[in-house]
């Protein structure tokens, strides 16, 4: 039985590059910046707990994934966060 929320079935899983694109787009919207590189650091770009909460909400809506606030400290770059989301998807799919 599949769920209606994206990211919860194997068919809905996004590739690492697709996840990186989604994370990049959300960060760019929330931080109001363009052209972010995969190694861009959330906090060095001016991110803080309130903007992190906005990113979490938008990623939940876009991917159906629940990213904990601690992930911003453990995975502060776009590439690291996308990789972490991919790992969460693999764990949820089991």
């Amino acid at each position: 039985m599949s769920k209606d929320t994206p990211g919860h079935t194997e068919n809905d899983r996004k590739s690492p590059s697709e996840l990186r694109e989604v994370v990049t787009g959300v960060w760019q919207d929330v931080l109001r910046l363009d052209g972010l590189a995969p190694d861009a650091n959330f906090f060095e770009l001016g991110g803080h707990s309130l903007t992190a909460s906005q990113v979490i909400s938008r990623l939940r809506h876009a991917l159906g994934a629940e990213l904990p606030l601690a992930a911003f400290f453990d995975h502060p770059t776009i590439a690291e966060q996308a990789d972490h989301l991919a790992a969460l998807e693999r764990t949820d799919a089991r």
Side-chain angles (χ1 to χ4, degrees), residues 3-93:
K3 296 180 183 178
D4 292 330
T5 307
H8 285 275
T9 67
E10 198 164 316
N11 293 335
D12 290 334
R13 278 198 218 161
K14 298 202 178 307
S15 71
S17 62
E18 289 172 317
L19 286 170
R20 201 169 295 126
E21 285 180 31
V22 171
V23 172
T24 300
V26 169
W27 281 30
Q28 288 180 160
D29 286 346
V30 170
L31 297 172
R32 298 179 184 191
L33 299 170
D34 290 325
L36 298 182
D39 63 347
N41 183 295
F42 185 76
F43 299 105
E44 291 173 5
L45 295 170
H48 49 75
S49 61
L50 294 177
T51 51
S53 294
Q54 291 177 326
V55 169
I56 290 167
S57 176
R58 291 182 189 205
L59 288 175
R60 182 184 312 118
H61 180 61
L63 301 171
E66 190 63 42
L67 186 68
L69 184 59
F72 285 85
F73 298 97
D74 297 336
H75 312 286
T77 69
I78 290 171
E80 290 171 341
Q81 210 166 82
D83 291 343
H84 181 66
L85 285 165
L88 289 175
E89 277 190 346
R90 285 191 301 272
T91 302
D92 286 347

